[in-house]
Amino acid sequence: VGGYTSENTNKSGMNTKPVVGGRLGYNFTKAIGIEGLFDYVPKADSVNFYRYGGELLYHFMPDNKLVPYIAAGYAGFNTDKAGIFKKTHGAIDYGVGAKYFLNDNFALRADVRHIFYQVSGGKYNEAEYTLGAYIPFGGVKPAMKPVEPAPAPVVEVPKAVVKPAPVAPTSSLNVVPSSILKGQPATLSWSSKNASSCNIKPGIGAVATQGTMSITPADNTSYALTCVGDGGSTNSSAMIGVSMPAPPPPPVVIEAVQPKASAAAERFCSKPAVIAIAFDTNKADIKPKYDAELKSLGDFLAEFPKAKGEISGHTDNVGSKALNQKLSQRRADSVKKYMVDKFGVDASRISAKGYGLTKPVASNKTKEGKAQNRRIEANFTCEDK
């Protein structure tokens, strides 16, 4: 039972009347079923309305107490007035519903349907909403349980003692850090389960089934752990990379340096000389705290007015190659501009060039190496005053 809301034939408004009906269906599976339907709406605008057809249902969570589902179908309908049946028309419907099972043989059911059809060139949209009882019956009957013969006399047989099968051993091997400079130590750690003995190669030999030790390999080394137990053997490995420290810049012989050169001359009459300034991330602005560092370069250029050279910018390998190239050029340009604006150096004496990540002086695999690679260098030829 429920309600049926329909459009007036002149579509000037909605008209709601009670509806009664029934469904008879068959479930092909727990989720999929089909139902035949019959609905009767008494005296809707003094006209009795009949709808009969079928729907396909799909149930969600069919084993639950609350079972929601969706439905869609097709039906014929006609009306009578004064007991005279009129022409049958077709209507499509779709909607949702839910069944709430109070037990295996009875459930409450609620449905909502949208019904639409076309009559005499007019299109109509109507709604039906019902509550009812759902009673499942039939289905597959459980098989009869066969009559079991009387049990035979039990003869006690001594149980054999079964020794449990040995458990296969497991192991793990780690080295921290995984990359070092030559001569630095690292820590090798290992552990195992269900093992009686362990061995580490190369160069270590027999060890306890778990432990740690300090190592200082001379080169890249792959360590292998082998542990043996009653259940077999297990293997683990760990790799450590060893890199050489960055060599210092080679000395450059500078011609025409006066016997008693200043500290600035001794520093910058070499190739190259690192200027100890740092920039904020992705910035090229020079902070005031580096005035003294840049003044030493300004003093040198004032002492050697004929000296010419290059300010070069360098980065580590963090970020793309194109980004690092642009950033190193901006920083080299910033230092050149500082020398011209602050110390009045002729701009033609200084060139600025960014090399990005193309000229590292240390390994980019370590934090220390990356710090050495992020640098500004001054490379000048020292001529007589």
Side-chain angles (χ1 to χ4, degrees):
V1 297
Y4 191 95
T5 300
S6 60
E7 292 182 304
N8 291 333
T9 55
N10 59 7
K11 296 188 178 182
S12 61
M14 306 300 293
N15 185 27
T16 300
K17 294 291 183 179
V19 60
V20 296
R23 306 286 187 269
L24 182 65
Y26 179 81
N27 286 341
F28 298 102
T29 68
K30 288 183 177 181
I32 299 175
I34 190 170
E35 288 186 347
L37 65 91
F38 177 80
D39 288 333
Y40 168 62
V41 182
K43 296 182 180 179
D45 294 333
S46 300
V47 177
N48 293 324
F49 177 87
Y50 304 89
R51 189 168 73 99
Y52 38 87
E55 291 182 329
L56 184 66
L57 283 71
Y58 182 84
H59 300 81
F60 300 93
M61 302 179 294
D63 295 322
N64 286 8
K65 196 170 185 179
L66 178 64
V67 182
Y69 56 89
I70 58 176
Y74 183 81
F77 73 89
N78 57 32
T79 60
D80 70 11
K81 189 170 185 179
I84 301 174
F85 281 85
K86 302 300 181 181
K87 181 179 177 180
T88 298
H89 300 278
I92 296 173
D93 69 87
Y94 65 90
V96 298
K99 301 170 185 175
Y100 183 77
F101 284 84
L102 301 179
N103 55 53
D104 291 341
N105 298 313
F106 185 82
L108 298 177
R109 169 173 172 165
D111 289 86
V112 178
R113 298 289 187 273
H114 174 209
I115 304 167
F116 54 95
Y117 57 88
Q118 184 172 346
V119 176
S120 300
K123 296 181 179 179
Y124 295 86
N125 290 275
E126 302 180 347
E128 180 183 84
Y129 28 92
T130 59
L131 293 174
Y134 175 80
I135 305 173
F137 59 90
V140 179
K141 295 182 178 180
M144 294 294 293
K145 185 176 181 180
V147 178
E148 297 181 357
V154 178
V155 179
E156 292 290 340
V157 178
K159 295 182 179 180
V161 178
V162 180
K163 186 178 180 180
V167 180
T170 59
S171 65
S172 65
L173 180 66
N174 295 285
V175 60
V176 178
S178 60
S179 179
I180 61 173
L181 295 177
K182 188 171 183 178
Q184 289 183 338
T187 300
L188 193 66
S189 60
W190 66 95
S191 63
S192 65
K193 292 183 179 181
N194 306 311
S196 57
S197 62
C198 294
N199 184 284
I200 299 179
K201 295 181 180 180
I204 296 178
V207 294
T209 55
Q210 60 183 6
T212 61
M213 66 183 305
S214 179
I215 56 174
T216 309
D219 205 348
N220 296 343
T221 305
S222 178
Y223 290 95
L225 170 68
T226 301
C227 294
V228 179
D230 292 339
S233 62
T234 178
N235 297 285
S236 302
S237 62
M239 180 72 184
I240 185 169
V242 180
S243 58
M244 296 294 293
V252 177
V253 178
I254 306 299
E255 297 180 359
V257 177
Q258 293 185 357
K260 295 183 179 179
S262 66
E266 291 179 355
R267 177 181 178 187
F268 292 104
C269 282
S270 60
K271 182 182 181 180
V274 176
I275 301 176
I277 63 176
F279 298 89
D280 288 338
T281 301
N282 202 26
K283 300 291 184 180
D285 299 326
I286 298 174
K287 297 180 180 180
K289 66 180 179 179
Y290 299 116
D291 287 348
E293 174 68 8
L294 292 171
K295 184 177 183 300
S296 63
L297 177 58
D299 293 340
F300 160 74
L301 293 174
E303 184 179 355
F304 292 85
K306 294 183 179 181
K308 296 181 180 180
E310 179 185 271
I311 300 297
S312 59
H314 304 269
T315 68
D316 58 22
N317 65 347
V318 177
S320 67
K321 183 177 180 180
L323 179 64
N324 281 310
Q325 178 64 38
K326 292 180 180 179
L327 180 60
S328 63
Q329 183 63 53
R330 287 167 49 205
R331 290 176 173 176
D333 290 337
S334 181
V335 174
K336 175 182 175 179
K337 184 176 185 301
Y338 187 96
M339 302 310 298
V340 172
D341 296 343
K342 188 76 173 182
F343 301 103
V345 179
D346 187 349
S348 64
R349 298 174 59 193
I350 305 174
S351 62
K353 185 172 182 180
Y355 291 91
L357 51 78
T358 61
K359 291 189 175 184
V361 296
S363 172
N364 277 311
K365 295 181 178 180
T366 65
K367 180 179 179 180
E368 295 79 7
K370 289 181 178 179
Q372 293 181 52
N373 290 332
R374 297 190 299 268
R375 65 195 190 278
I376 292 290
E377 293 181 350
N379 184 6
F380 286 85
T381 58
C382 301
E383 301 179 14
D384 292 336
K385 297 182 181 180

